[in-house]
Structures are given as structure tokens and as C-alpha cells.
Amino acid sequence: VPARMIEPSNHTPRNALRGNQLVCIALLLGQFVFAIVIVVAQQTGAWESSSSDPEVTHMLAIIGTAVGVASIPTAYTIRKVLWQRGAGEETTKLLQAFFIGNIAFQAVLEGASLLNLTFWLISGTMLPHVPVFAVLFTIGVTALLRTRAPAD
């Protein structure tokens, strides 16, 4: 079976999309599970807020929001540049550019999402961290659902 995975006949846009979707789902699930862990920890009292300092809470809010907002155009730009590198190339290079572009897109959003979830955990305050996470997560899911395989 492993030999079949490297046969050129398996390097199709449809197969690339399936593999890419699995990796992106794993990235999204990691964020979702971390959010669930935070909710459970806060509900059970297992994690007491480590920072009640208003200055720290304010600083985390500004940083988390800024990183979240900046990550959106950054993710789209990186994906576009990587996709363009594969345009007009042979199928294997096109699919590599497609795969890497999508993973980079999700990874940028994931980084900002996990940062905001961590800031929520540290500060103990949902605002603005949970809404920023929700927007980034939604963009990631929407991109996953709307991405189509590149043409042969």
C-alpha cells in the first residue's frame, strides 16, 4: 500500500484536496479541543485566574486582538502567494503549492486563535479573546469548506 501512495496516478487534485482537508481538520480540532479544555477547567474551578491585574488583562486584550486582526490578511496573503507559485507548473508542483498554501493559511489562523485562547486562560476574561477566537476559527472552517481542488 505505501508504494501506491507515491505513484503518479495518485497525485490528482482530488486526492490532494482530501489529504489537505484531513490536515486542516486536525489543525481546527486542536483549537476546538483546547477551547473545550479551558471551558471545563474554568467550570470546575481547576484553573484559577493567574492574573487579576487590570493592566495585564488590558495588555493581553490589545495584543490578542491585534494579532487576531493582523493574522487574517496575513493568512490570505501567504496562501495567495504560495498558490501563485504553483500556477502553471506541472501537476505535482501545483498540488504541492496548493497543499502548502492551505496549511500555511490554517497555521497562521491557528497561531492567533491559540494565542487568544491562552490569553483567555491567563486573564480569566472572555472578552475580547473568545470573540476573536470565534472569528478566526470560523474563517478557518469556512476556508476548509469552500476550498476546491486546483484544476488538472
Side-chain angles (χ1 to χ4, degrees):
V1 176
R4 287 186 62 221
M5 295 175 72
I6 60 171
E7 288 178 10
S9 62
N10 276 348
H11 293 302
T12 65
R14 186 178 176 124
N15 287 343
L17 179 63
R18 284 185 185 148
N20 191 257
Q21 287 173 329
L22 289 174
V23 173
C24 291
I25 288 169
L27 290 170
L28 290 165
L29 282 175
Q31 298 168 57
F32 184 74
V33 168
F34 187 44
I36 297 298
V37 167
I38 293 171
V39 168
V40 170
Q42 287 185 341
Q43 293 297 320
T44 61
W47 181 269
E48 293 298 323
S49 177
S50 64
S51 176
S52 57
D53 182 356
E55 284 185 38
V56 172
T57 301
H58 182 68
M59 179 185 66
L60 294 177
I62 291 171
I63 293 170
T65 302
V67 170
V69 169
S71 72
I72 298 168
T74 302
Y76 279 104
T77 301
I78 289 172
R79 183 175 70 175
K80 181 180 178 180
V81 167
L82 290 170
W83 279 2
Q84 287 174 343
R85 291 171 88 185
E89 295 289 335
E90 64 183 69
T91 302
T92 302
K93 289 186 179 184
L94 170 69
L95 296 179
Q96 287 173 344
F98 171 78
F99 194 89
I100 293 168
N102 286 332
I103 299 302
F105 176 85
Q106 291 290 344
V108 169
L109 295 177
E110 179 189 41
S113 291
L114 293 175
L115 179 74
N116 274 281
L117 289 175
T118 302
F119 285 176
W120 173 29
L121 185 64
I122 292 169
S123 69
T125 60
M126 292 179 71
L127 294 175
H129 310 297
V130 173
V132 171
F133 161 74
V135 168
L136 296 172
F137 187 79
T138 302
I139 291 170
V141 169
T142 302
L144 173 68
L145 297 174
R146 294 179 53 103
T147 300
R148 300 291 175 246
D152 283 316

